Amino acid sequence: MTFLEKSLGFDPKSMKLRTELIAGATTFLTMSYILAVNPAILSSTGMDKGALFTGTALAAAIATLLLAFMAKLPFAQAPSMGLNAFFAYTLCQTLQYSWQHSLAIMLIEGIVFIIITFFNVREMILHAIPANLRYAISAGIGMFIAFIGLKNAGIIVDKQATLVGLGAFTPTCILGIIAILLSGILMARNVKGALFWSIIIATVIGIPMGVTVIPGSWMPVSAPQDISPVFCKFDFTGLLNLKTVLVVFSLLLINIFDTIGTLMGLADKTGIVETNGNIPRVKEAMMSDAIGTTCGAMLGSSTLTTYVESASGIAEGGRSGVTALTVGLFFLFALFLSPVFMLIPSAATSGALVMVGVLMIDSVKKINLQDITEAFPAFITMITMVLCYSIADGICLGILSFVIMKVCTQRWKDLNWTLCILAVLFVLNFVIDA
């Protein structure tokens, strides 16, 4: 108990070890869908799916264990559902970086993240971005993730006349629809681990449909998949330019908003927020995030973040780092279950992606829609993320439109030097790309 108290913040007077362990198991079950979804998204870049599974599990375990011992909080970390999409669909597809270049960019972002967290620059950047744009970025990423889920299942396809449209009702498409309905129904019925179970059930349903393919001599348990195809495969050539600087900054913005917002929400649920609004050990929590992101890049994974699904474990009574320790150990154990997760087809993960979008769109209600100088940039941010198929473009155009609206209406007090400098850099970037 002395070790648990000193290292993990466990208080035997007000906490129960059994409760902390159950809370950790609940959190893992709720967020374990990332073990199927992250490799599915990142493998679209040409990366080895088996290696990605190992990298995802290891990165989540390392970051969560760091958070357990550094911050002593009942939260868990894993590859971000927004930033894995940024990696695969913005960096690799839209901006034409190779996945090796993209991993190098993730490493750079992780190192910068550590530096700005250590010097408290993270909070300064966060406060420079207007609240309405922060909410719009969160909602826009949710819409983008949902769009990817629909696209992966073939529910939405490209059409020459209308750009996008409904796809044909193939077995893959039908399985995607089933997965989406399952995730919604299970979430509505408050089933613990609803997204995880929707993926598993959809995968099983996909067997008779021919979408889930079971290889010969399949076994559910095996040694961890070889990580060497993606481990430290960095390519730094040609990255010294303005385009890369803006990409790294976009990554930082997304991660800052995601992590800070999640930490604030989760801390409020645990009741540890102080009367002045401060969160105990929040810097340590952010530092574990930054270190985890750097380690994740080495392991072939995209940026890591604190998961809002940690709220499920908190609801079960998790209050200390013992909960996070339990989650981390479960991720390590999952390394031996890779054959199960490797069976899961992309269509079966569509429900989880769409439901993440549903949960993230909640930010829209916080946007000030009465002031057109606030509502217009927020709308531009959200819609261009989806239509341009790029989170970075959505952020750029959202900030640009915010600055232009405020300048043209002479609302100088709503601007700051950081926003103005960013606007100039974004314009230069668009000019250079043209």
Side-chain angles (χ1 to χ4, degrees):
M1 286 299 179
T2 304
F3 168 77
L4 295 180
E5 189 172 356
K6 290 183 177 180
S7 301
L8 298 167
F10 179 80
D11 183 0
K13 296 179 181 178
S14 60
M15 302 174 187
K16 293 182 179 179
L17 185 58
R18 181 175 179 273
T19 300
E20 296 289 322
L21 296 176
I22 292 174
T26 302
T27 295
F28 173 77
L29 188 64
T30 307
M31 65 183 290
S32 58
Y33 67 88
I34 194 62
L35 291 170
V37 175
N38 200 53
I41 290 177
L42 296 185
S43 62
S44 66
T45 66
M47 301 173 77
D48 183 85
K49 194 172 182 180
L52 285 170
F53 176 86
T54 300
T56 300
L58 281 176
I62 291 170
T64 303
L65 291 173
L66 281 172
L67 188 143
F69 288 100
M70 291 175 65
K72 302 177 178 59
L73 294 171
F75 309 154
Q77 296 182 329
S80 166
M81 276 299 297
L83 291 170
N84 54 11
F86 186 98
F87 183 105
Y89 303 109
T90 296
L91 292 185
C92 294
Q93 291 188 16
T94 304
L95 299 178
Q96 297 295 301
Y97 286 105
S98 68
W99 63 262
Q100 293 90 342
H101 279 127
S102 300
L103 282 180
I105 289 172
M106 293 292 165
L107 179 68
I108 294 169
E109 187 236 349
I111 294 171
V112 174
F113 220 3
I114 292 174
I115 295 170
I116 68 172
T117 299
F118 183 80
F119 289 105
N120 295 322
V121 178
R122 201 165 174 173
E123 289 82 354
M124 293 169 58
I125 296 174
L126 178 69
H127 295 148
I129 306 300
N132 286 303
L133 280 184
R134 295 182 225 164
Y135 302 142
I137 289 171
S138 179
I141 291 173
M143 294 165 64
F144 182 68
I145 290 171
F147 184 76
I148 290 169
L150 296 171
K151 174 180 172 291
N152 286 350
I155 298 171
I156 297 295
V157 297
D158 62 315
K159 291 193 174 181
Q160 188 172 0
T162 59
L163 294 181
V164 293
L166 281 175
F169 287 100
T170 62
T172 300
C173 176
I174 294 171
L175 183 63
I177 293 171
I178 292 172
I180 292 169
L181 290 174
L182 270 172
S183 66
I185 293 168
L186 293 176
M187 286 285 286
R189 296 183 68 86
N190 296 316
V191 174
K192 285 185 173 63
L195 300 185
F196 171 81
W197 290 118
S198 73
I199 292 173
I200 297 300
I201 295 171
T203 299
V204 174
I205 293 173
I207 295 173
M209 297 175 67
V211 182
T212 303
V213 180
I214 301 178
S217 65
W218 180 83
M219 294 291 288
V221 180
S222 74
Q225 297 284 318
D226 181 18
I227 197 174
S228 60
V230 298
F231 182 71
C232 289
K233 298 294 184 180
F234 303 119
D235 185 355
F236 294 94
T237 58
L239 293 184
L240 193 60
N241 52 56
L242 178 60
K243 177 182 172 183
T244 302
V245 171
L246 292 176
V247 164
V248 171
F249 190 80
S250 295
L251 279 167
L252 286 170
L253 285 183
I254 298 167
N255 205 354
I256 288 170
F257 302 149
D258 195 3
T259 304
I260 291 289
T262 303
L263 285 174
M264 289 175 65
L266 293 175
D268 187 59
K269 291 180 184 295
T270 61
I272 63 172
V273 181
E274 297 171 353
T275 53
N276 59 2
N278 291 334
I279 302 172
R281 301 181 298 280
V282 68
K283 185 174 180 179
E284 289 83 353
M286 291 191 292
M287 185 60 79
S288 69
D289 182 341
I291 297 172
T293 291
T294 307
C295 294
M298 296 177 183
L299 295 167
S301 179
S302 53
T303 300
L304 279 76
T305 190
T306 303
Y307 262 56
V308 71
E309 284 83 355
S310 304
S312 62
I314 293 170
E316 289 291 331
R319 291 295 181 271
S320 75
V322 176
T323 297
L325 173 66
T326 305
V327 177
L329 293 177
F330 266 111
F331 271 116
L332 290 177
F333 176 72
L335 286 169
F336 299 94
L337 298 175
S338 61
V340 175
F341 288 94
M342 296 296 290
L343 279 182
I344 298 170
S346 294
T349 66
S350 296
L353 294 173
V354 171
M355 192 50 60
V356 168
V358 171
L359 297 174
M360 291 183 73
I361 201 69
D362 177 74
S363 299
V364 169
K365 67 183 182 183
K366 301 176 184 177
I367 299 173
N368 178 12
L369 299 176
Q370 307 305 313
D371 184 347
I372 197 66
T373 66
E374 298 284 342
F376 177 75
F379 177 75
I380 292 296
T381 300
M382 293 183 289
I383 197 168
T384 53
M385 278 189 189
V386 179
L387 297 184
C388 296
Y389 210 68
S390 170
I391 295 171
D393 284 347
I395 294 174
C396 291
L397 294 172
I399 290 177
L400 263 176
S401 59
F402 181 89
V403 172
I404 292 170
M405 289 292 288
K406 297 299 182 180
V407 168
C408 292
T409 54
Q410 298 182 344
R411 302 270 290 272
W412 312 111
K413 64 179 182 179
D414 294 335
L415 295 173
N416 56 63
W417 283 110
T418 302
L419 281 177
C420 295
I421 292 170
L422 284 176
V424 172
L425 290 175
F426 291 152
V427 169
L428 288 175
N429 182 55
F430 289 130
V431 170
I432 291 171
D433 284 346

